[in-house]
Amino acid sequence: MRQSSGGGVCVLAGWWVACLCLAGLLGASLYASPAVAQRMEGDRAAATGVYEAEVPVNGQTENERRSAFARALLQVLGKISGDRNASARPGFGRELRRAEEYVQTYDYRQDQSVSPTTGATRFTTMLVVRFDSDRVDEMVSALGLPIWPQPRPKPVLWLAIDDGKGPRLVGVGQSNAARSILDKAVERGYRLGLPSGTAAEQAAVGAIWRGDTATVARISARYAPPMQLLGKLYRKGSGWKADWVFVDDGRVLSRWSTENADARRAMAGGAEGAADALIRRYARRPAGSGNPGTYRVALEGVRSGDDYVRLLAHLQDLPVVRAVRPVVAGENRLVADLELTSGLPGFRRFIAARGVLVAMDARGDEGEAPADGTPPEAPAAEAGDTPADAGGDTLPVFRLR
């Protein structure tokens, strides 16, 4: 297939759009539907790991389940990175819409509770989802989401509550009083610990109330790690307010306040702020992640319409590819601009794992993959690892197998 200039570009673009539509139909059937989890009699479905989540649903229809899968995947991404705004990052919105493709198994659970206002019994259906950890990790790495490394610290929560009778420390023996903040921490991908509640610790409630971080740090020295979340919860008007300080090894990382008519929600805000502070300090982009941008590449081995469809289906299936724009077509070769969320390093990782495209070295040979499975280096092509508008004659070359 040859194309010189002018109207030929439009013809090629039209053909490209048609191929994209067909590739989308093909891609929709390339993954297996998730299976219902198998449980022993008496087992209760629950999300316990980083790659598991549970979300409330209004029923067990397919449409309701697909919507819930997206919410569950967002929870998992939040656990992996600690970032509650992961869905706003480039590329993740599209992957959330394809969340079903990442599901390994799912199950349902019925929760029973009592309304705090009417006292009536109510039931909530929860969808418990387990995601394929390898596929999720592949997506997170290629899209360059900062990772909050495991294992994660377990800060000590020094919480004092004044309901009008004077401030009191919440220790291990009163953990139910702090259930909302403890559960919110787990939802954000980490855990909070509580002090034992000894007499000496109870006497430190004044230091918590006045925000004396040095005194609380000394009392907390028997616990590891040297991280403390100080909080005081008190009534304000018809609702509740909580003031928080997060300390890491003697250094104040953050101060914030939360307010809500519900004391439990005001309290849960402490776990949110602590997670945000920890992410800012410890989350890092995966090693080898590139910069987002548009990169010009040469795609070889495209000899027929079937090859175009197969190539487009593959590119469409790569989360790192946001858009494909053809530039010029020649015999068995297409030059295109790829809009990538994490640059060519993420693109190379994906194609190395999928085996449809292969990176070529300076001699036109396939690079030899190292024993650890990482993509081969292409020394001469590295000069082309620059945005499409940066100039230069050398392009990274990838061949369709």
Side-chain angles (χ1 to χ4, degrees), residues 9 62 129 178 236 251 262 266 289 321 334 339 350 365 386 391:
V9 174
E62 185 175 351
V129 189
K236 182 181 180 183
R251 175 186 174 189
D262 188 331
S289 292
V321 179
L334 174 72
E339 186 179 344
F350 264 113
D365 300 326
T386 54

Side-chain angles (χ1 to χ4, degrees), residues 31-48:
Y31 71 95
S33 298
V36 178
Q38 299 297 311
R39 287 186 286 121
M40 300 294 292
E41 184 176 357
D43 287 350
R44 184 172 171 82
T48 58

Side-chain angles (χ1 to χ4, degrees), residues 153-175:
K154 186 179 181 180
V156 181
L157 172 62
W158 293 89
L159 175 63
I161 301 176
D162 185 356
D163 59 1
K165 302 176 183 178
R168 290 166 293 174
L169 177 71
V170 178
V172 171
Q174 300 80 41
S175 59

Side-chain angles (χ1 to χ4, degrees), residues 34-40 45-46 103-108 128-130:
V36 178
Q38 299 297 311
R39 287 186 286 121
M40 300 294 292
V103 175
Q104 192 171 65
T105 61
Y106 66 90
D107 203 350
Y108 291 95
V128 182
V129 189
R130 175 179 290 109

Side-chain angles (χ1 to χ4, degrees), residues 286-334:
S289 292
N291 296 318
T294 300
Y295 295 79
R296 183 159 296 176
V297 301
L299 303 165
E300 297 184 343
V302 186
R303 299 179 174 87
S304 66
D306 288 343
D307 285 343
Y308 272 106
V309 170
R310 188 161 63 93
L311 172 64
L312 290 170
H314 176 60
L315 292 174
Q316 187 184 43
D317 191 52
L318 300 178
V320 72
V321 179
R322 300 184 67 185
V324 181
R325 289 184 286 274
V327 177
V328 62
E331 187 173 358
N332 300 334
R333 176 184 170 98
L334 174 72

